[in-house]
């Protein structure tokens, strides 16, 4: 509706669900009166900051497609799901586990993030970082409860940074990066629960026997590039280390 002013809303203190998407808002301060707010969507506005007055019951926020540059000032104790897709964010620093102890899902795809260093919210279960410019993975050892990690369309050439502390990670999407060798894929052996891996559109997928080579290094996989692992594939992959030894 092209709204620029929402000051009227501060009188509706019992509102629980508010959708202000596709307006021209630059200021959300009137929402500080909505102390019962549970769910807020402000996609497609002109916001340059996600900072707001702390709201005790707020559980879901979507700030997609704004002009937000950092993650400072987000301090809602019950917030479980935070989305900041397609903004101008360059660093993941600014979030605090002490202030966001309930955060489980963080969506940051389509920003300008170069590294995962400083993402201080260790209780996350799902982390979406696709379509950034990430070239190094740092600080991931804190994510002991993370189950899903999306890193599609980034600049990764090496897979250092994964940790055996990540004992819940089941799904990892690395599509469209720069991973060339199976030695890099081997570094994923530290992930004990990894079941689904996406490596499509990486240089290593052009190598002969690509699926078998990956499976020989990660035998616990159930799915590779969206396709289930067949039993005969698994048996064939088991022979590869022996063949490698014979060649040596």
């Amino acid at each position: 509706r092209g709204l620029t002013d929402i000051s009227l809303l501060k009188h509706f203190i019992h509102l629980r669900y508010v959708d202000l998407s596709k307006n021209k808002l630059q200021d959300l301060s009137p929402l500080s009166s909505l102390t019962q707010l549970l769910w807020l969507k402000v996609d497609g506005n002109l916001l340059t900051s996600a900072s707001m007055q702390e709201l005790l019951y707020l559980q879901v926020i979507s700030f997609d497609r704004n002009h937000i540059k950092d993650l400072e000032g987000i301090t809602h104790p019950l917030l479980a799901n935070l989305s900041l897709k397609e903004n101008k964010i360059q660093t993941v620093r600014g979030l605090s586990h002490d202030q966001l102890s309930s955060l489980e899902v963080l969506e940051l795809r389509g920003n300008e993030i170069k590294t995962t260093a400083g993402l201080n919210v260790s209780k996350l279960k799902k982390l979406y970082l696709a379509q950034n410019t990430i070239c190094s993975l740092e600080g991931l050892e804190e994510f002991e409860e993370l189950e899903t990690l999306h890193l599609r369309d980034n600049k990764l050439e090496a897979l250092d940074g994964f940790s055996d502390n990540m004992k819940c990670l089941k799904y990892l999407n690395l599509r469209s990066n720069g991973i060339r060798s199976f030695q890099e894929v081997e570094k994923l052996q530290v992930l004990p629960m990894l079941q689904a891996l996406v490596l499509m559109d990486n240089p290593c997928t052009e190598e002969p026997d690509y699926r078998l080579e990956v499976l020989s290094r990660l035998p616990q996989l159930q799915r590779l590039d969206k396709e289930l692992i067949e039993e005969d594939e698994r048996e064939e992959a088991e022979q590869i280390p022996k063949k490698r030894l014979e060649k040596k």
Side-chain angles (χ1 to χ4, degrees):
R1 293 190 165 278
L3 296 177
T4 57
D5 181 2
I6 54 168
S7 55
L8 189 70
L9 285 182
K10 66 186 177 189
H11 303 294
F12 297 90
I13 59 172
H14 296 294
L15 280 173
R16 306 267 176 116
Y17 300 88
V18 173
D19 187 346
L20 292 162
S21 300
K22 299 181 183 175
N23 282 290
K24 296 182 179 177
L25 300 177
Q26 299 181 56
D27 176 26
L28 298 179
S29 58
L31 300 181
S32 59
S33 304
L34 309 187
T35 54
Q36 308 301 307
L37 197 62
L38 300 176
W39 183 96
L40 174 63
K41 193 170 183 179
V42 284
D43 300 346
N45 277 282
L46 302 176
L47 299 168
T48 55
S49 170
S51 180
M52 289 174 62
Q53 179 82 21
E54 183 177 296
L55 292 168
L56 290 180
Y57 303 110
L58 191 56
Q59 293 167 33
V60 177
I61 311 181
S62 181
F63 288 108
D64 298 349
R65 298 183 303 283
N66 277 279
H67 305 288
I68 294 166
K69 294 177 181 172
D70 60 50
L71 300 175
E72 300 289 341
I74 305 172
T75 61
H76 315 288
L78 292 184
L79 189 64
N81 191 316
L82 173 60
S83 184
L84 287 141
K85 270 192 293 194
E86 297 175 38
N87 277 281
K88 310 278 185 194
I89 297 163
Q90 295 183 1
T91 171
V92 293
R93 296 182 187 279
L95 299 181
S96 161
H97 172 68
D98 295 337
Q99 295 169 319
L100 292 170
S101 57
S102 303
L103 193 64
E104 293 188 350
V105 180
L106 179 57
E107 167 65 89
L108 290 169
R109 80 182 75 191
N111 279 284
E112 300 166 13
I113 299 163
K114 293 183 174 64
T115 174
T116 53
L119 191 53
N120 187 25
V121 276
S122 56
K123 297 292 183 187
L124 283 181
K125 287 189 166 50
K126 296 183 178 180
L127 176 57
Y128 299 96
L129 291 166
Q131 297 166 345
N132 279 281
T133 56
I134 295 169
C135 51
S136 69
L137 299 171
E138 300 170 68
L140 295 183
E141 61 278 355
E142 295 178 28
F143 294 106
E144 294 185 16
E145 296 180 29
L146 195 67
E147 297 172 3
T148 297
L149 178 56
H150 270 254
L151 288 161
R152 178 177 175 170
D153 291 309
N154 276 285
K155 309 264 184 216
L156 290 168
E157 294 183 4
L159 294 178
D160 302 304
F162 289 99
S163 162
D164 54 8
N165 286 354
M166 302 175 79
K167 50 186 180 286
C168 294
L169 192 67
K170 295 176 183 173
Y171 179 91
L172 176 60
N173 192 327
L174 292 165
R175 184 172 182 171
S176 297
N177 277 276
I179 299 153
R180 298 186 175 279
S181 73
F182 295 123
Q183 283 70 33
E184 293 304 321
V185 175
E186 208 162 288
K187 293 172 183 176
L188 301 178
Q189 289 175 347
V190 298
L191 303 171
M193 293 298 289
L194 188 63
Q195 293 175 10
L197 175 64
V198 182
L199 280 170
M200 298 155 77
D201 304 325
N202 277 277
C204 66
T205 63
E206 304 297 322
E207 295 291 325
D209 297 325
Y210 150 69
R211 282 179 68 84
L212 297 177
E213 290 286 354
V214 172
L215 193 54
S216 72
R217 291 165 169 82
L218 303 170
Q220 82 277 22
L221 286 181
Q222 303 297 314
R223 191 184 291 266
L224 177 60
D225 295 341
K226 313 287 173 99
E227 290 180 28
L228 286 170
I229 304 292
E230 301 292 341
E231 201 52 46
D232 57 343
E233 252 187 322
R234 200 176 292 284
E235 288 169 11
E236 206 176 333
E238 283 172 10
Q239 301 305 312
I240 285 186
K242 294 174 190 171
K243 288 178 185 172
R244 226 181 274 134
L245 277 173
E246 284 167 13
K247 278 184 184 175
K248 282 184 182 177

PDB file of all heavy atoms in Angstrom, residues 44 50 57 147 188 203 231:
ATOM      1  N   GLY A  44      10.113  -6.683   1.924  1.00  0.00           N
ATOM      2  CA  GLY A  44       9.955  -5.736   0.820  1.00  0.00           C
ATOM      3  C   GLY A  44       9.658  -4.317   1.255  1.00  0.00           C
ATOM      4  O   GLY A  44       8.790  -3.657   0.691  1.00  0.00           O
ATOM      5  N   ALA A  50      17.568  -4.134  11.415  1.00  0.00           N
ATOM      6  CA  ALA A  50      16.601  -5.066  11.997  1.00  0.00           C
ATOM      7  C   ALA A  50      16.446  -4.821  13.494  1.00  0.00           C
ATOM      8  O   ALA A  50      15.738  -5.546  14.181  1.00  0.00           O
ATOM      9  CB  ALA A  50      17.059  -6.501  11.756  1.00  0.00           C
ATOM     10  N   TYR A  57       7.419 -11.997  23.554  1.00  0.00           N
ATOM     11  CA  TYR A  57       6.728 -13.183  23.052  1.00  0.00           C
ATOM     12  C   TYR A  57       6.917 -13.414  21.550  1.00  0.00           C
ATOM     13  O   TYR A  57       6.396 -14.371  21.000  1.00  0.00           O
ATOM     14  CB  TYR A  57       5.225 -13.088  23.376  1.00  0.00           C
ATOM     15  CG  TYR A  57       4.976 -12.931  24.853  1.00  0.00           C
ATOM     16  CD1 TYR A  57       4.508 -11.720  25.381  1.00  0.00           C
ATOM     17  CD2 TYR A  57       5.242 -13.966  25.739  1.00  0.00           C
ATOM     18  CE1 TYR A  57       4.312 -11.564  26.738  1.00  0.00           C
ATOM     19  CE2 TYR A  57       5.037 -13.825  27.103  1.00  0.00           C
ATOM     20  CZ  TYR A  57       4.577 -12.616  27.604  1.00  0.00           C
ATOM     21  OH  TYR A  57       4.392 -12.478  28.956  1.00  0.00           O
ATOM     22  N   GLU A 147      21.066 -29.382  12.268  1.00  0.00           N
ATOM     23  CA  GLU A 147      20.635 -30.549  11.489  1.00  0.00           C
ATOM     24  C   GLU A 147      20.712 -30.302   9.979  1.00  0.00           C
ATOM     25  O   GLU A 147      20.926 -31.237   9.208  1.00  0.00           O
ATOM     26  CB  GLU A 147      19.195 -30.924  11.863  1.00  0.00           C
ATOM     27  CG  GLU A 147      19.045 -31.355  13.317  1.00  0.00           C
ATOM     28  CD  GLU A 147      17.600 -31.548  13.726  1.00  0.00           C
ATOM     29  OE1 GLU A 147      16.696 -31.403  12.867  1.00  0.00           O
ATOM     30  OE2 GLU A 147      17.364 -31.828  14.912  1.00  0.00           O
ATOM     31  N   LEU A 188      34.616 -34.284   5.126  1.00  0.00           N
ATOM     32  CA  LEU A 188      33.268 -34.407   5.698  1.00  0.00           C
ATOM     33  C   LEU A 188      33.107 -35.679   6.533  1.00  0.00           C
ATOM     34  O   LEU A 188      32.057 -35.909   7.122  1.00  0.00           O
ATOM     35  CB  LEU A 188      32.217 -34.372   4.587  1.00  0.00           C
ATOM     36  CG  LEU A 188      32.207 -33.118   3.705  1.00  0.00           C
ATOM     37  CD1 LEU A 188      31.144 -33.238   2.617  1.00  0.00           C
ATOM     38  CD2 LEU A 188      31.980 -31.864   4.535  1.00  0.00           C
ATOM     39  N   PRO A 203      33.174 -28.793  -9.582  1.00  0.00           N
ATOM     40  CA  PRO A 203      34.086 -29.433 -10.535  1.00  0.00           C
ATOM     41  C   PRO A 203      34.308 -30.927 -10.256  1.00  0.00           C
ATOM     42  O   PRO A 203      34.478 -31.711 -11.199  1.00  0.00           O
ATOM     43  CB  PRO A 203      35.387 -28.637 -10.363  1.00  0.00           C
ATOM     44  CG  PRO A 203      34.952 -27.300  -9.875  1.00  0.00           C
ATOM     45  CD  PRO A 203      33.741 -27.541  -9.026  1.00  0.00           C
ATOM     46  N   GLU A 231      21.703 -50.151  -3.273  1.00  0.00           N
ATOM     47  CA  GLU A 231      22.518 -51.150  -2.566  1.00  0.00           C
ATOM     48  C   GLU A 231      23.703 -51.621  -3.410  1.00  0.00           C
ATOM     49  O   GLU A 231      24.807 -51.806  -2.896  1.00  0.00           O
ATOM     50  CB  GLU A 231      21.642 -52.345  -2.159  1.00  0.00           C
ATOM     51  CG  GLU A 231      22.220 -53.163  -1.017  1.00  0.00           C
ATOM     52  CD  GLU A 231      22.608 -52.325   0.198  1.00  0.00           C
ATOM     53  OE1 GLU A 231      21.823 -51.457   0.633  1.00  0.00           O
ATOM     54  OE2 GLU A 231      23.739 -52.513   0.686  1.00  0.00           O
TER      55      GLU A 231
END
